[in-house]
Amino acid sequence: MKKLLKYLKLISVEPFILDSADGEKILAEAKDLFEYIDSGFRDWGADEKGPATKETPVCVYEMAKDATFSQMFSLLSSDKSKLCLTQAQIIEFVKKYRNWLQADDYATFFLFESNGQFFVADAVACSDGALGVSVSRFKDSHVWSAENRRRLVVPQLAVWYFDALLFVFLFFSKLIPWDSLSSRGFFCMIVMQSENTSRLRLRVKVAKKIKT
């Protein structure tokens, strides 16, 4: 949990909603949106159409410490597939929430899967207003600098579970008092949206018992 705080910072107070999509759109063909598109999408087979998706809430994180893709995404889930968006969803996020891309030529990262491999789309909002997108292999060992606060966009459910565990860690560490009404409300919100609500409800019952 300490690592999560050390490497990543959640900056979206409320989730952003991506509409349902048929998965047909791919980044290699999004010329109406991006002025620059990396040829690597085609060269590396990162151009597979995705499945149809339902309405999906997503969250935005900001880097707080230098990290590789593996380090930053693995902090959120050990199952990479739960952190993936389809390319159609990435395109919609850029269209719908363009102002949430990191500015001044610095990347916002999106994890996706194509032809059995994991890739990261690096969407960039240039200082002249143009948009560009490049692709990197997830296994790339390059260490990305946190100095310019690059961002990550991931599905909300994958994130809330780990934020909930983080809250439990802070609570038992006595860094967040249970008597705080705002903390209690925050915890209840996480419990309702978590992937594993039964385990968290059990944790909160134990927490109450210890405090009384």
Side-chain angles (χ1 to χ4, degrees):
M1 295 305 117
K2 287 183 179 179
K3 279 190 175 181
L4 181 56
L5 281 174
K6 195 173 183 180
Y7 282 90
L8 298 173
K9 175 185 177 183
L10 180 64
I11 61 173
S12 53
V13 178
E14 295 183 357
F16 299 104
I17 305 300
L18 301 180
D19 298 330
S20 57
D22 59 15
E24 290 293 304
K25 294 181 179 179
I26 58 174
L27 292 162
E29 298 176 351
K31 296 179 181 178
D32 60 326
L33 179 62
F34 298 104
E35 195 165 306
Y36 167 78
I37 299 176
D38 190 347
S39 61
F41 284 103
R42 295 293 193 191
D43 296 341
W44 293 346
D47 56 355
E48 182 183 26
K49 294 180 179 179
T53 53
K54 298 179 180 179
E55 186 177 89
T56 303
V58 298
C59 293
V60 182
Y61 271 77
E62 193 170 81
M63 291 181 64
K65 183 178 178 179
D66 299 355
T68 63
F69 289 136
S70 179
Q71 287 174 319
M72 62 181 85
F73 282 102
S74 296
L75 287 169
L76 300 174
S77 176
S78 58
D79 185 350
K80 295 189 294 292
S81 62
K82 291 182 179 181
L83 299 171
C84 288
L85 295 171
T86 66
Q87 295 188 53
Q89 288 177 313
I90 296 171
I91 290 169
E92 187 190 352
F93 182 91
V94 174
K95 284 182 176 179
K96 197 171 180 180
Y97 303 111
R98 176 173 176 161
N99 61 322
W100 275 85
L101 296 178
Q102 183 57 288
D104 300 324
D105 304 327
Y106 294 108
T108 297
F109 300 129
F110 302 83
L111 184 62
F112 70 98
E113 189 173 1
S114 178
N115 290 307
Q117 299 183 70
F118 289 96
F119 297 95
V120 177
D122 316 339
V124 175
C126 302
S127 54
D128 61 2
L131 292 174
V133 63
S134 58
V135 62
S136 302
R137 299 182 191 273
F138 176 78
K139 61 184 180 182
D140 188 351
S141 60
H142 176 75
V143 177
W144 295 87
S145 172
E147 183 179 353
N148 300 298
R149 302 191 304 278
R150 291 176 172 88
R151 296 178 178 180
L152 291 74
V153 179
V154 293
Q156 182 205 41
L157 289 181
V159 169
W160 276 113
Y161 176 64
F162 282 86
D163 281 347
L165 294 183
L166 174 61
F167 181 92
V168 171
F169 169 78
L170 293 174
F171 167 63
F172 280 112
S173 298
K174 298 181 180 180
L175 296 178
I176 299 179
W178 176 252
D179 293 336
S180 168
L181 184 62
S182 59
S183 295
R184 187 184 304 158
F186 175 65
F187 187 76
C188 290
M189 178 175 63
I190 290 177
V191 169
M192 292 177 65
Q193 299 191 59
S194 169
E195 291 180 293
N196 196 339
T197 55
S198 60
R199 181 180 298 177
L200 289 172
R201 287 195 182 101
L202 177 61
R203 286 176 180 271
V204 74
K205 286 180 181 177
V206 172
K208 285 181 178 178
K209 185 175 181 180
I210 290 174
K211 285 290 181 177
T212 54

